[in-house]
Amino acid sequence: MSDIVNPGAARPTHPLALAPVVSPPSSVDGFVKQFLTNLNFDQGVSLSESDANDQYLALAGTVRDYLMARWLEDQARQNEQQSKTVCYLSAEYLLGRQLDNNLLAARLTDIATDALAQCGIDINDLRELEVEPGLGNGGLGRLAACFIDSLATMSVPNIGYGIRYEYGIFRQTFVDGEQVEQPDAWLRMGSPWDFPHPEAAQTISFGGRTETYDDNGTERTRWIPDWSVLAVPYNMMVPGYHNGRVNTLRLWRAVATNAFDLRIFNSGDYEESVRAQTFAENISKVLYPEDSTPQGKELRLQQQYFFVSASIRDFIDTVLPADYDLTKLPDRVIFQLNDTHPVIGVPELMRVLIDEKGMEWDDAWAITQQCFAYTCHTLLPEALEVWPVDLLGRLLPRHLEIIYRINEEFLEEVRERFGDDMLRIRNMSIIGEHPYRSVRMAYLATVAGAKVNGVAELHSQLLRDKVLHDFAEMYPDKFTNVTNGITPRRFIRLANPSLAELITEALGAGWTIDLERLRGLEALAEDPEFRERFGAVKAANKRRLNEVLFQRDGVHVDETHMLDVMVKRLHEYKRQMLKVLHIVTLYDGIASGRVAAADVTPRTFIFGAKAAPGYAMAKRIIHLINAVGSVVNNDPRVEGRLKVIFPPNYNVTLAEKVIPAADLSEQISLAGKEASGTGNMKFALNGALTIGTDDGANVEIRQLVGDDNFFLFGMTEPEVEVLWAQGYTPADFYQAHAGLRGALDLISSGAFSEGDRSVFEPVVSNLLYDDRFMVLADYASYIAAQERVDAAYADQDAWTKSAILNVARSGFFSSDRSMRDYIDRIWHTPPVL
Ligand code: 26W
């Protein structure tokens, strides 16, 4: 084992030198000693001189030290056993804070708490200093984080590959109710959780041209790029839960190459050389905050190629042994494509195998087709990435040639199978012609991937029937479903410790890694004493949320209110506007005197949502929510009945406090638009009831928890299609419902904009004249469902019973189960024990 530490050294003789690393003893004393050592030697301060940030960094370093031996051992064992590795390629990882998760995984929470107390430090004060790495936009990035947690917990070899953005998702602030974005400088106070490995950097090239040459009678191609950057890996630990396992998340940072600098330096232009450096380092500077609507920016394609090329070559050149027979590559790796963002990896692997390793096209293609699998995370056509051929050809000329050849051979196959059907060929071509010539990345992924999966049953069905219909016809066996999941470690154990304790008391500790055991709670739903305790947990979580929000934003959450929560990215298809119309309807009823305040269930509405900075309508809706909030919250007529809270900068850290306190989970997208949703799962597992459409994973949640414990409303996906085909006329719905008219008219009147009718006019006229997501069509059904919610909530004991059944029956949504499904259906990667 000693060679892991220092490969070139003479044989060590000291006993300590034979271990991969010396772990500190698992005791409070051992922890204190290691903590103080780190404080002194890493932070360079004494305890008495240290500030809280020094202490936080030393604490993080100490936790790392405990995990280190297992990390080094695990990597060595995987290499020895030549096991097949899941390389998860994802442009986003929305990790959330690391400290608590890593303490929990390593069973160090109590030891660390005591040790710090003995140093006169309250660990809670340090927890709050950690800035979460927000290296993702929303569901897709958080899913990646849940998946790598599950793989580590299940001892499956995995490397998560991605980008170490210097700036993650923006920090959202509100100025006069409008979203203002601030840069997220998450690295500013230090980054104790990752390790740079400059010695393992890869050179990533761009631009230039290709040429052919004669290689002993065979014509070969080489790419002569004209600029390059270094990709430097930063490794993060991904510890499994209580299994001593530590996997790796490897995020790449862009750094200017020496060669690049030197060339310019020699020319004597110092300023230019600094500029060049900035140019190179821009590649990993910032996470694109667009969610669902790709902007087609060149820098984004640079980011994609940058991390995917670095990752593939890292795996081949440094993870695999030097003499590895690459015809056997599919035995050692599966590259899972998290949406289309890493799909440029397909021509990259082809290029490496053919141009660099000297393989023939057909052999390389056979290997490539076994090494990739593709997960699609959307149904919105505008979210399917396409790259203009011009741009792609300029940045990656060799890759474009390869894509053209893949397409040629693919279309030949289509012809063989279906004849000279020009329409079909045009529809299936990887190259689109309108409105400009472009590469359809989802099609490339589908053709190249061994498997293609959607992320919930309904979504996978719609992929087969609609989005990728022709491909499903051609390759029926490629298509499969894997319903998303969430990690119960972070979203129950850490986020809801009171519930976790109650469950452990009732069922024993095994549920955290075997979530189906929650079924055991079904019987307890009948037990009045258990219901009371469950209710007390919810109340305590509301008090905790009140404390957090008061500290953070100076607002109060009334624990006697029903907490009605909608947290997710702001997007028209998710229909935050439906929620706004409900609130305005309730408000209008009381304010106009038509409804007695005393007859309205006291509710606090909580929103959390970021809008893409360039998405004007989404930003207007955020403004409207804040405007409605400020009117409602200041009107004495509705005091004690209705309250709207919109804490800025919703992120993983806040989710962990909001979700456990919720009574009602809003999952109200237009049917057929939300691929899965994962917030919906987090709420159900924390004992909130869902009001939702028949969309995404809501369908499966309802099937599992039962109709009595779920408030279903709205059109089904086929009904949506019918209405759309007939011609959706929102005015009909406006005319048909007095409540809807009242709500829209009130917004139009300027009631929420100090009489200025122009401010929210675009929002209202969008709903009335131009709404692809048919908000008004589902209004009546939504209001009726909310009335059923009120009626059900009136019987608190029955509500609690339903809440318990939601928890008991949602074990299926553990990401451990998702991982088992990926392993069985796609990856075939056994655990390495
Ligand atoms: C900038 C381009 C772009 C395009 C698409 C950025 C991000 C996307 C993603 C596909 C959006 C996304 O996060 N999709 C969500 O993925 C979750 C995990 O599978 C699902 O639960 C959500 O329903 C889906 O919207």
Side-chain angles (χ1 to χ4, degrees), residues 65-90:
D65 295 342
Y66 277 87
L67 290 166
M68 186 58 73
R70 303 307 299 257
W71 197 20
L72 298 178
E73 278 168 8
D74 285 341
Q75 302 327 305
R77 191 168 47 237
Q78 273 173 44
N79 290 345
E80 255 164 49
Q81 299 193 5
Q82 313 242 322
S83 36
K84 184 171 177 184
T85 300
V86 178
C87 289
Y88 200 78
L89 300 179
S90 178

Side-chain angles (χ1 to χ4, degrees), residues 139-140 143 290-294 300 339 341 377-378 383 455 484 573-574 674-678:
L140 163 132
L143 188 76
E290 270 75 45
D291 188 81
S292 303
T293 35
R300 193 177 163 86
D339 216 79
H341 319 153
H377 293 265
T378 190
V455 290
N484 283 167
Y573 84 80
K574 295 178 186 280
E674 188 70 271
S676 161
T678 44

Side-chain angles (χ1 to χ4, degrees), residues 172 189 226 489 570 605:
Q172 180 191 49
M189 298 303 276
D226 68 13
R489 272 71 66 184
L570 201 309
F605 304 94

Side-chain angles (χ1 to χ4, degrees), residues 711-771:
F711 300 95
L712 175 68
F713 77 97
M715 296 176 284
T716 61
E717 192 277 333
E719 287 166 351
V720 167
E721 287 295 307
V722 169
L723 179 60
W724 192 254
Q726 283 172 353
Y728 166 56
T729 45
D732 296 348
F733 296 93
Y734 174 81
Q735 292 304 338
H737 302 289
L740 175 57
R741 248 182 354 258
L744 283 170
D745 290 352
L746 195 62
I747 297 170
S748 297
S749 75
F752 305 109
S753 40
E754 295 168 347
D756 184 343
R757 304 171 59 110
S758 68
V759 182
F760 299 120
E761 188 276 329
V763 178
V764 173
S765 58
N766 179 256
L767 295 183
L768 280 172
Y769 305 110
D770 194 23
D771 177 19

Side-chain angles (χ1 to χ4, degrees), residues 385-387 389 403-412 414-415 418 421-434 436-447 467-468 470-471 474-475:
E385 279 186 309
V386 295
W387 288 107
V389 158
I403 292 168
Y404 274 136
R405 172 137 180 219
I406 291 173
N407 193 42
E408 241 170 65
E409 299 198 353
F410 165 65
L411 292 179
E412 192 46 48
V414 175
R415 262 185 221 103
F418 298 100
D421 176 349
M422 274 318 288
L423 188 64
R424 177 183 286 270
I425 287 168
R426 194 164 350 126
N427 287 340
M428 294 181 82
S429 175
I430 295 169
I431 306 295
E433 300 293 341
H434 296 287
Y436 45 80
R437 199 156 238 245
S438 60
V439 181
R440 298 159 159 168
M441 302 307 272
Y443 292 6
L444 177 56
T446 302
V447 171
V467 185
L468 298 172
D470 294 340
F471 295 89
M474 186 153 166
Y475 308 116

